[in-house]
Every structure is written in C-alpha cells, then in structure tokens.
Amino acid sequence: MRDDEALTLDPGSAPPATTTSAPDLGTSAAPVGGAPSSPDAGALSAAGPAPWVRRLVVVGLILAAVNLRPAITSLGALLKEVRDGLGMSGTMAGLLTSVPAACFALFGFAAPRLARRYGPGTVVLAGMVAITGGLLLRPLAGGTPAFLAASALALAGIAVSNVLMPVIVKRYFPDRVGTVTGVYSMALSLGTAVAAAATVPLTDAMGGSWRLGLGVWALLSVAAIIPWVPLARDRAAAPPRRVTFVKAGSTEAAGREQAAPGQAGPAAAAQAGGEHGSIVRSRTAWMLACFFGLQGTAAYVTMGWMPQIFRDAGISAGEAGLLLAVTMVMGVPLSFVLPPLAARMRSQGPIVVVLGVFQVAGFAGLWAAPAAAPFVWALLLGVANCAFPLVLTMIGMRSRTGGGVVRLSAFAQSTGYLLSIPGPILVGTLNQASGGWGVPIALMIALVVPQVACGVLAGRNRHIEDEL
C-alpha cells in the first residue's frame, strides 16, 4: 500500500472517483437532480452502529487493553529467574526487553494494510488469538531462541492491537475520543499492574516455576477473544466512502466524500483530500513519533529493568514486583483523568512538561538511593508513565478523519517503537559494563529533555491534513 493511498477501514477497496458506490449503511448515489434515492437515505447514513454494538466495543476495548501488557510485565517480574533458567547474558536480557518495541514497530507498520483489507475488528481479533498462542508457547521454550520466538508471537498480536485501539475509538466514538481513550488506557494500566503484582505470588503458589508463572496469563487473554468475534463482522461504523453526485441536466460528475454525521459534504470532502500525500511530510507526525519513542524507551526500561534495580539494592523479588505494580497502577486513575483533560486543551504541552518533571524525579531517586524510598520512586515513575495514554489521545486529536488517524497511529507508533529499541539494550549493556545502575539511569534522565521538547511540539493545535 502506498503512503499516499487513501485508507478505508472496511474490507473493500475504495471505489474510484468516477464510479458510483453505495455507502455501507444502505444509501445510494443521488439520481440526476441531486435528490436522495429514498426519503430515509439520509437517516440511514447517519444511524451509525447500534447501541448494543457500541457497548460491546467498550467491553472488547477493556478486555483487549487488559491483555496488552501482562506478557511484558510478568516477564519483568521474573527476569532474573528467566535469565538464570535460559542462561542469558546482560546484553541478551537487554535484547529481550527490547523485543516488545521491535515487534511493535515491525508489525505496527502492517496494521493499516491489514485493517484496510480485513477491517480493524478482524485484525484485533487475530491479535488476541496471537497473544494467547504466544503466552501458551513461551513456557514450553527450551532455549533463548524459542523463548524469543514465542514472545514475538504474543507481541505481534499486541502490536497490531496497539495501533488499532485509537482507530477503533475514532471509528465508534468520534465524539468521545478522550473519554473512551481514558477507559481503555485505565484498563491497560490495570492489566499491567495486576500482572506485575501477581506474577511472583502466583509463581510461588505453583511451586516456584517461572514457566507456570508466565503461562498462567494465557487464561486471561482467552477472555479477550470472545467480544471481538462478533465485532470482526461489524461494518456499521465504517467511514465515509466515495460517492458521485451528478448535477441536474448535466453529465459532469464530481467525486465527493459522503458526509459523516454532523459534517457538511464539502467539509468532509476537503478532509478526505488531506489524507493523500506522504505522512513523512508532516512535522506533527514526526514530533508525535519521537515523543512516542522516547516515552516508550522510558516505559520499557521501567517495566523491564526497575524490578532488577530494586533487587540489586537488596529488595526482595516479591517486593520488587509489588513496586512495579505500584508504578503501573498509577496509570489506572490517571489514565481516566488525563485523556479527557488533554482533549479539552488546545495544547497538551503543559501536561507533557509536568510528566517530564515526575520522570526526572523518579529516575533521580533510583540513581541516588533506590532502597531509601522505593515506593516514592515507584509512584513518581508511575505518574510519568501516563505519557502513554496522553500520546494516544494526541494521535486521535491530530487528524480530522478516521483514515487520517489510521495513518498517524501506524506511523507514530511504529516509528516510535523503532526509536525505542536501543534504549533497553543500551541500559543492559551499560549496567554490565559499569557494574552498576548509575550510568544507565543518568542516560534515562538525559533523554527526558528531548522527550519533553518533542511532546510540547506534538501537543500544538495542529492537524496532519494541513501539513501534507
């Protein structure tokens, strides 16, 4: 798929501008004279998804979000045991903590093409199945390559679902982007925190086997498959499709986008036109990608290495997992508050700055005295990690159309994850080379400066359609 090709979220390709195509909800092109083909055509086009579908989408979003991080944070809590069991070096363990970012980048780039061909609901369903399969296979791995392959399968499912969550929100809830983003971000934080806190106790209860401690999370992911089965077939919320309006007494046809509910036809056409052109020309898209990548670096270093930092400071494995859970659970209330707040602001720069201050304070505490006030450092980094729901909200706000959000979400997340790959690897390598955590944490503090700068620029009141 070319970057300048218009995206649609239903399985079919967009029809050519010179042909007449009926919208998904049953309307047809107007006959000569511009009148609707039936009195109910306009009502049908504005009907949108049924209420039960929207409720099912909320359930599906929550269950999917709960399963988007346990594969990662459960591993962070048992990283020492996994390293010992598989004979991993520090650099290899750093590579393992970077696998999520690598998979998110690789498979995230494929998400728009898959969504265009099969529909976003179908792709999310496949993602939930992949997560379940990876979590079931990972405990069976006999060596590091097999473990990495099983992890990659689960992370591929997480990757495509990550990219398509903002798309699903924009598709079904275009008037409540901030609120619904907050709901699934809260669920994501809850799943992250529960996995971090419960993995070690569950492992101990099952005889101390890290394989069982990791594999038990497949049971949770099975539940997420159920609501996406009917949603995979839903087409009610498909975005506007191209129709042809013919002037009375004339054979001249002008291809225009059918207006979405609450939009005028010419405005919708203008917005759709902005979906063409290379997204790499958008400064806002690049700033979002860099902000996403830098906050992702901090998040994956926190999830992958913070428990080890605490354990090296003399804190027990169970308490280190609990501290990671504290960091993750901070996202539960804040992920519900921040996105709606950000959606009401013209610029999200002030929130970016505040989160950056918390991040510096948290890493500085880990550097100076990790065992002195571990819960304080965990709380500070938990607040800082709410840059993730913030950037997801910004992605939904920086485009006017559903197709634009698909492109922006795929570009910002995939490029951002590519940028975040070296961070966890470098942290592991610096720790092994220096014999301590001072140098790696100093690096993380230094990276806050460009992170805040990119976030402030990405938070300006702009739309990518105006920059293409």
Tab-separated table of all heavy atoms in Angstrom, residues 301-352:
chain	number	residue	atom	x	y	z
A	301	VAL	N	12.169	0.555	29.789
A	301	VAL	CA	13.254	0.452	30.768
A	301	VAL	C	12.665	0.271	32.164
A	301	VAL	O	13.149	-0.545	32.961
A	301	VAL	CB	14.156	1.698	30.706
A	301	VAL	CG1	15.083	1.756	31.920
A	301	VAL	CG2	14.976	1.695	29.423
A	302	THR	N	11.593	1.014	32.468
A	302	THR	CA	10.941	0.891	33.772
A	302	THR	C	10.357	-0.502	33.965
A	302	THR	O	10.591	-1.160	34.998
A	302	THR	CB	9.838	1.948	33.925
A	302	THR	OG1	10.411	3.254	33.812
A	302	THR	CG2	9.142	1.816	35.273
A	303	MET	N	9.594	-0.977	32.977
A	303	MET	CA	8.961	-2.293	33.107
A	303	MET	C	9.973	-3.420	33.105
A	303	MET	O	9.822	-4.416	33.813
A	303	MET	CB	7.942	-2.492	31.977
A	303	MET	CG	6.680	-1.674	32.141
A	303	MET	SD	5.396	-2.080	30.928
A	303	MET	CE	6.056	-1.332	29.444
A	304	GLY	N	11.032	-3.290	32.279
A	304	GLY	CA	11.984	-4.372	32.135
A	304	GLY	C	13.074	-4.408	33.183
A	304	GLY	O	13.528	-5.477	33.583
A	305	TRP	N	13.513	-3.201	33.653
A	305	TRP	CA	14.695	-3.158	34.500
A	305	TRP	C	14.456	-2.667	35.917
A	305	TRP	O	15.280	-2.908	36.797
A	305	TRP	CB	15.761	-2.276	33.847
A	305	TRP	CG	16.422	-2.895	32.660
A	305	TRP	CD1	16.337	-2.489	31.363
A	305	TRP	CD2	17.285	-4.037	32.647
A	305	TRP	NE1	17.083	-3.303	30.536
A	305	TRP	CE2	17.677	-4.270	31.309
A	305	TRP	CE3	17.758	-4.891	33.641
A	305	TRP	CZ2	18.515	-5.308	30.939
A	305	TRP	CZ3	18.593	-5.932	33.272
A	305	TRP	CH2	18.970	-6.132	31.943
A	306	MET	N	13.359	-1.941	36.172
A	306	MET	CA	13.161	-1.406	37.515
A	306	MET	C	13.127	-2.486	38.602
A	306	MET	O	13.747	-2.316	39.664
A	306	MET	CB	11.899	-0.538	37.586
A	306	MET	CG	11.791	0.254	38.886
A	306	MET	SD	10.327	1.309	38.990
A	306	MET	CE	9.076	0.052	39.351
A	307	PRO	N	12.418	-3.617	38.385
A	307	PRO	CA	12.479	-4.657	39.423
A	307	PRO	C	13.898	-5.140	39.695
A	307	PRO	O	14.270	-5.390	40.852
A	307	PRO	CB	11.605	-5.780	38.836
A	307	PRO	CG	10.664	-5.092	37.905
A	307	PRO	CD	11.468	-3.985	37.310
A	308	GLN	N	14.727	-5.247	38.648
A	308	GLN	CA	16.105	-5.693	38.838
A	308	GLN	C	16.917	-4.645	39.602
A	308	GLN	O	17.773	-4.989	40.428
A	308	GLN	CB	16.753	-5.964	37.486
A	308	GLN	CG	18.112	-6.638	37.573
A	308	GLN	CD	18.012	-8.056	38.133
A	308	GLN	OE1	17.241	-8.868	37.655
A	308	GLN	NE2	18.789	-8.339	39.177
A	309	ILE	N	16.653	-3.365	39.325
A	309	ILE	CA	17.345	-2.298	40.060
A	309	ILE	C	17.041	-2.409	41.551
A	309	ILE	O	17.931	-2.313	42.409
A	309	ILE	CB	16.935	-0.917	39.520
A	309	ILE	CG1	17.430	-0.747	38.073
A	309	ILE	CG2	17.487	0.203	40.397
A	309	ILE	CD1	16.923	0.514	37.394
A	310	PHE	N	15.767	-2.620	41.885
A	310	PHE	CA	15.392	-2.762	43.289
A	310	PHE	C	15.995	-4.029	43.907
A	310	PHE	O	16.457	-4.016	45.056
A	310	PHE	CB	13.871	-2.780	43.432
A	310	PHE	CG	13.230	-1.419	43.302
A	310	PHE	CD1	12.146	-1.217	42.462
A	310	PHE	CD2	13.695	-0.344	44.045
A	310	PHE	CE1	11.548	0.027	42.355
A	310	PHE	CE2	13.102	0.917	43.946
A	310	PHE	CZ	12.027	1.100	43.093
A	311	ARG	N	16.011	-5.121	43.156
A	311	ARG	CA	16.557	-6.362	43.696
A	311	ARG	C	18.060	-6.238	43.931
A	311	ARG	O	18.594	-6.762	44.917
A	311	ARG	CB	16.235	-7.524	42.753
A	311	ARG	CG	14.752	-7.844	42.701
A	311	ARG	CD	14.418	-8.978	41.747
A	311	ARG	NE	14.873	-10.275	42.263
A	311	ARG	CZ	14.564	-11.434	41.699
A	311	ARG	NH1	13.815	-11.463	40.595
A	311	ARG	NH2	14.997	-12.565	42.219
A	312	ASP	N	18.755	-5.541	43.042
A	312	ASP	CA	20.187	-5.327	43.237
A	312	ASP	C	20.467	-4.416	44.426
A	312	ASP	O	21.580	-4.419	44.967
A	312	ASP	CB	20.809	-4.722	41.974
A	312	ASP	CG	20.908	-5.730	40.839
A	312	ASP	OD1	20.686	-6.939	41.098
A	312	ASP	OD2	21.172	-5.317	39.693
A	313	ALA	N	19.452	-3.638	44.834
A	313	ALA	CA	19.605	-2.768	46.001
A	313	ALA	C	19.239	-3.492	47.295
A	313	ALA	O	19.225	-2.874	48.371
A	313	ALA	CB	18.744	-1.523	45.838
A	314	GLY	N	18.917	-4.789	47.206
A	314	GLY	CA	18.634	-5.569	48.394
A	314	GLY	C	17.166	-5.802	48.675
A	314	GLY	O	16.819	-6.373	49.723
A	315	ILE	N	16.306	-5.402	47.782
A	315	ILE	CA	14.862	-5.594	47.964
A	315	ILE	C	14.480	-6.962	47.417
A	315	ILE	O	15.009	-7.413	46.390
A	315	ILE	CB	14.089	-4.474	47.249
A	315	ILE	CG1	14.390	-3.139	47.939
A	315	ILE	CG2	12.589	-4.727	47.243
A	315	ILE	CD1	13.810	-1.925	47.225
A	316	SER	N	13.556	-7.638	48.077
A	316	SER	CA	13.170	-8.993	47.678
A	316	SER	C	12.436	-8.993	46.343
A	316	SER	O	11.915	-7.957	45.895
A	316	SER	CB	12.264	-9.617	48.742
A	316	SER	OG	11.009	-8.947	48.793
A	317	ALA	N	12.375	-10.173	45.715
A	317	ALA	CA	11.706	-10.290	44.425
A	317	ALA	C	10.218	-9.951	44.529
A	317	ALA	O	9.668	-9.268	43.662
A	317	ALA	CB	11.876	-11.716	43.884
A	318	GLY	N	9.568	-10.420	45.600
A	318	GLY	CA	8.148	-10.134	45.760
A	318	GLY	C	7.885	-8.656	45.918
A	318	GLY	O	6.943	-8.116	45.324
A	319	GLU	N	8.700	-7.966	46.730
A	319	GLU	CA	8.503	-6.532	46.918
A	319	GLU	C	8.855	-5.760	45.660
A	319	GLU	O	8.210	-4.750	45.340
A	319	GLU	CB	9.352	-6.027	48.091
A	319	GLU	CG	9.051	-4.581	48.456
A	319	GLU	CD	9.831	-4.101	49.671
A	319	GLU	OE1	10.508	-4.939	50.306
A	319	GLU	OE2	9.768	-2.900	49.983
A	320	ALA	N	9.861	-6.217	44.913
A	320	ALA	CA	10.212	-5.544	43.653
A	320	ALA	C	9.067	-5.642	42.656
A	320	ALA	O	8.755	-4.677	41.943
A	320	ALA	CB	11.484	-6.167	43.068
A	321	GLY	N	8.426	-6.818	42.600
A	321	GLY	CA	7.254	-6.946	41.728
A	321	GLY	C	6.117	-6.065	42.179
A	321	GLY	O	5.405	-5.472	41.362
A	322	LEU	N	5.941	-5.937	43.499
A	322	LEU	CA	4.896	-5.062	44.029
A	322	LEU	C	5.180	-3.607	43.688
A	322	LEU	O	4.265	-2.836	43.358
A	322	LEU	CB	4.795	-5.236	45.548
A	322	LEU	CG	3.748	-4.374	46.263
A	322	LEU	CD1	2.351	-4.685	45.740
A	322	LEU	CD2	3.827	-4.582	47.772
A	323	LEU	N	6.450	-3.218	43.744
A	323	LEU	CA	6.818	-1.843	43.393
A	323	LEU	C	6.535	-1.556	41.918
A	323	LEU	O	6.076	-0.465	41.565
A	323	LEU	CB	8.293	-1.607	43.705
A	323	LEU	CG	8.636	-1.523	45.203
A	323	LEU	CD1	10.140	-1.623	45.415
A	323	LEU	CD2	8.102	-0.222	45.788
A	324	LEU	N	6.809	-2.536	41.069
A	324	LEU	CA	6.456	-2.360	39.655
A	324	LEU	C	4.945	-2.234	39.497
A	324	LEU	O	4.466	-1.434	38.698
A	324	LEU	CB	6.985	-3.540	38.835
A	324	LEU	CG	6.664	-3.509	37.336
A	324	LEU	CD1	7.216	-2.251	36.675
A	324	LEU	CD2	7.209	-4.760	36.646
A	325	ALA	N	4.193	-2.999	40.279
A	325	ALA	CA	2.737	-2.904	40.233
A	325	ALA	C	2.269	-1.521	40.670
A	325	ALA	O	1.320	-0.958	40.099
A	325	ALA	CB	2.110	-3.974	41.117
A	326	VAL	N	2.922	-0.949	41.687
A	326	VAL	CA	2.578	0.406	42.128
A	326	VAL	C	2.789	1.398	40.995
A	326	VAL	O	1.963	2.282	40.746
A	326	VAL	CB	3.427	0.796	43.362
A	326	VAL	CG1	3.291	2.285	43.674
A	326	VAL	CG2	3.017	-0.025	44.568
A	327	THR	N	3.907	1.240	40.286
A	327	THR	CA	4.174	2.119	39.149
A	327	THR	C	3.094	1.991	38.089
A	327	THR	O	2.588	2.990	37.565
A	327	THR	CB	5.547	1.771	38.528
A	327	THR	OG1	6.559	1.996	39.495
A	327	THR	CG2	5.832	2.624	37.296
A	328	MET	N	2.720	0.763	37.794
A	328	MET	CA	1.733	0.546	36.750
A	328	MET	C	0.321	0.956	37.181
A	328	MET	O	-0.455	1.465	36.377
A	328	MET	CB	1.737	-0.928	36.336
A	328	MET	CG	3.050	-1.419	35.742
A	328	MET	SD	3.516	-0.541	34.220
A	328	MET	CE	4.880	0.462	34.817
A	329	VAL	N	-0.015	0.746	38.453
A	329	VAL	CA	-1.383	1.024	38.895
A	329	VAL	C	-1.651	2.524	38.943
A	329	VAL	O	-2.817	2.944	38.928
A	329	VAL	CB	-1.643	0.376	40.277
A	329	VAL	CG1	-1.127	1.239	41.428
A	329	VAL	CG2	-3.140	0.102	40.458
A	330	MET	N	-0.632	3.343	38.997
A	330	MET	CA	-0.838	4.785	38.947
A	330	MET	C	-1.528	5.199	37.661
A	330	MET	O	-2.208	6.225	37.605
A	330	MET	CB	0.505	5.517	39.065
A	330	MET	CG	1.103	5.504	40.459
A	330	MET	SD	0.010	6.256	41.675
A	330	MET	CE	-0.083	7.930	41.058
A	331	GLY	N	-1.350	4.391	36.630
A	331	GLY	CA	-1.992	4.712	35.368
A	331	GLY	C	-3.487	4.488	35.371
A	331	GLY	O	-4.190	4.978	34.477
A	332	VAL	N	-4.011	3.751	36.355
A	332	VAL	CA	-5.443	3.450	36.372
A	332	VAL	C	-6.268	4.718	36.568
A	332	VAL	O	-7.078	5.082	35.706
A	332	VAL	CB	-5.776	2.377	37.430
A	332	VAL	CG1	-7.276	2.150	37.492
A	332	VAL	CG2	-5.059	1.077	37.111
A	333	PRO	N	-6.087	5.451	37.677
A	333	PRO	CA	-6.870	6.681	37.800
A	333	PRO	C	-6.424	7.779	36.840
A	333	PRO	O	-7.256	8.497	36.275
A	333	PRO	CB	-6.657	7.097	39.258
A	333	PRO	CG	-5.357	6.490	39.642
A	333	PRO	CD	-5.271	5.205	38.885
A	334	LEU	N	-5.103	7.906	36.655
A	334	LEU	CA	-4.611	8.997	35.820
A	334	LEU	C	-4.957	8.795	34.349
A	334	LEU	O	-5.181	9.778	33.621
A	334	LEU	CB	-3.100	9.148	35.997
A	334	LEU	CG	-2.658	9.643	37.366
A	334	LEU	CD1	-1.137	9.722	37.449
A	334	LEU	CD2	-3.260	11.007	37.668
A	335	SER	N	-5.006	7.555	33.893
A	335	SER	CA	-5.374	7.309	32.500
A	335	SER	C	-6.842	7.629	32.244
A	335	SER	O	-7.245	7.842	31.102
A	335	SER	CB	-5.104	5.843	32.134
A	335	SER	OG	-3.722	5.586	32.145
A	336	PHE	N	-7.635	7.633	33.298
A	336	PHE	CA	-9.037	8.004	33.154
A	336	PHE	C	-9.217	9.517	33.181
A	336	PHE	O	-10.141	10.051	32.578
A	336	PHE	CB	-9.873	7.370	34.262
A	336	PHE	CG	-11.344	7.487	34.061
A	336	PHE	CD1	-11.986	6.739	33.086
A	336	PHE	CD2	-12.098	8.356	34.831
A	336	PHE	CE1	-13.352	6.856	32.878
A	336	PHE	CE2	-13.461	8.473	34.642
A	336	PHE	CZ	-14.094	7.724	33.658
A	337	VAL	N	-8.307	10.213	33.867
A	337	VAL	CA	-8.424	11.665	34.016
A	337	VAL	C	-7.697	12.413	32.907
A	337	VAL	O	-8.215	13.389	32.344
A	337	VAL	CB	-7.878	12.100	35.394
A	337	VAL	CG1	-7.835	13.621	35.501
A	337	VAL	CG2	-8.727	11.514	36.507
A	338	LEU	N	-6.481	11.973	32.566
A	338	LEU	CA	-5.640	12.737	31.647
A	338	LEU	C	-6.210	12.860	30.227
A	338	LEU	O	-6.205	13.958	29.671
A	338	LEU	CB	-4.235	12.139	31.596
A	338	LEU	CG	-3.252	12.605	32.685
A	338	LEU	CD1	-1.885	11.994	32.454
A	338	LEU	CD2	-3.146	14.117	32.694
A	339	PRO	N	-6.660	11.757	29.581
A	339	PRO	CA	-7.140	11.917	28.207
A	339	PRO	C	-8.304	12.898	28.048
A	339	PRO	O	-8.255	13.759	27.155
A	339	PRO	CB	-7.536	10.484	27.803
A	339	PRO	CG	-6.644	9.621	28.631
A	339	PRO	CD	-6.555	10.334	29.944
A	340	PRO	N	-9.365	12.839	28.888
A	340	PRO	CA	-10.412	13.850	28.741
A	340	PRO	C	-9.899	15.273	28.994
A	340	PRO	O	-10.314	16.217	28.322
A	340	PRO	CB	-11.467	13.445	29.791
A	340	PRO	CG	-11.220	12.010	30.044
A	340	PRO	CD	-9.741	11.825	29.894
A	341	LEU	N	-8.994	15.411	29.976
A	341	LEU	CA	-8.412	16.729	30.240
A	341	LEU	C	-7.623	17.213	29.037
A	341	LEU	O	-7.750	18.371	28.606
A	341	LEU	CB	-7.513	16.655	31.470
A	341	LEU	CG	-6.721	17.923	31.812
A	341	LEU	CD1	-7.667	19.063	32.153
A	341	LEU	CD2	-5.756	17.654	32.972
A	342	ALA	N	-6.795	16.329	28.474
A	342	ALA	CA	-5.998	16.698	27.304
A	342	ALA	C	-6.877	17.044	26.110
A	342	ALA	O	-6.565	17.961	25.334
A	342	ALA	CB	-5.042	15.559	26.944
A	343	ALA	N	-7.991	16.321	25.954
A	343	ALA	CA	-8.879	16.571	24.815
A	343	ALA	C	-9.548	17.932	24.904
A	343	ALA	O	-9.951	18.494	23.881
A	343	ALA	CB	-9.942	15.470	24.736
A	344	ARG	N	-9.664	18.497	26.115
A	344	ARG	CA	-10.293	19.809	26.268
A	344	ARG	C	-9.299	20.946	26.102
A	344	ARG	O	-9.689	22.110	26.040
A	344	ARG	CB	-10.956	19.911	27.643
A	344	ARG	CG	-12.206	19.062	27.795
A	344	ARG	CD	-13.012	19.487	29.008
A	344	ARG	NE	-12.296	19.247	30.249
A	344	ARG	CZ	-12.388	18.133	30.968
A	344	ARG	NH1	-13.177	17.145	30.542
A	344	ARG	NH2	-11.720	17.997	32.084
A	345	MET	N	-8.005	20.625	26.064
A	345	MET	CA	-6.976	21.662	25.958
A	345	MET	C	-6.579	21.893	24.504
A	345	MET	O	-6.480	20.936	23.732
A	345	MET	CB	-5.755	21.256	26.781
A	345	MET	CG	-6.034	21.075	28.271
A	345	MET	SD	-4.605	20.414	29.185
A	345	MET	CE	-3.439	21.765	29.011
A	346	ARG	N	-6.327	23.132	24.157
A	346	ARG	CA	-5.866	23.435	22.802
A	346	ARG	C	-4.445	22.905	22.592
A	346	ARG	O	-4.098	22.463	21.515
A	346	ARG	CB	-5.913	24.946	22.538
A	346	ARG	CG	-7.312	25.503	22.386
A	346	ARG	CD	-7.274	26.992	22.080
A	346	ARG	NE	-6.528	27.277	20.876
A	346	ARG	CZ	-7.033	27.221	19.641
A	346	ARG	NH1	-8.289	26.855	19.471
A	346	ARG	NH2	-6.292	27.518	18.602
A	347	SER	N	-3.635	22.957	23.633
A	347	SER	CA	-2.271	22.441	23.565
A	347	SER	C	-2.031	21.523	24.755
A	347	SER	O	-2.389	21.860	25.890
A	347	SER	CB	-1.258	23.587	23.584
A	347	SER	OG	0.064	23.081	23.733
A	348	GLN	N	-1.409	20.368	24.491
A	348	GLN	CA	-1.143	19.414	25.554
A	348	GLN	C	0.276	19.568	26.119
A	348	GLN	O	0.716	18.782	26.945
A	348	GLN	CB	-1.325	17.982	25.036
A	348	GLN	CG	-2.763	17.613	24.718
A	348	GLN	CD	-3.274	18.252	23.445
A	348	GLN	OE1	-2.578	18.249	22.422
A	348	GLN	NE2	-4.461	18.810	23.490
A	349	GLY	N	0.986	20.629	25.675
A	349	GLY	CA	2.357	20.854	26.125
A	349	GLY	C	2.520	20.946	27.631
A	349	GLY	O	3.459	20.358	28.192
A	350	PRO	N	1.649	21.675	28.352
A	350	PRO	CA	1.817	21.758	29.809
A	350	PRO	C	1.774	20.392	30.503
A	350	PRO	O	2.527	20.160	31.453
A	350	PRO	CB	0.628	22.634	30.243
A	350	PRO	CG	0.341	23.491	29.051
A	350	PRO	CD	0.614	22.607	27.872
A	351	ILE	N	0.921	19.487	30.031
A	351	ILE	CA	0.866	18.153	30.632
A	351	ILE	C	2.173	17.416	30.372
A	351	ILE	O	2.695	16.711	31.245
A	351	ILE	CB	-0.324	17.357	30.084
A	351	ILE	CG1	-1.639	18.080	30.376
A	351	ILE	CG2	-0.362	15.952	30.686
A	351	ILE	CD1	-2.866	17.365	29.834
A	352	VAL	N	2.713	17.561	29.169
A	352	VAL	CA	3.985	16.916	28.822
A	352	VAL	C	5.091	17.367	29.777
A	352	VAL	O	5.889	16.547	30.273
A	352	VAL	CB	4.361	17.235	27.364
A	352	VAL	CG1	5.773	16.749	27.053
A	352	VAL	CG2	3.368	16.616	26.399
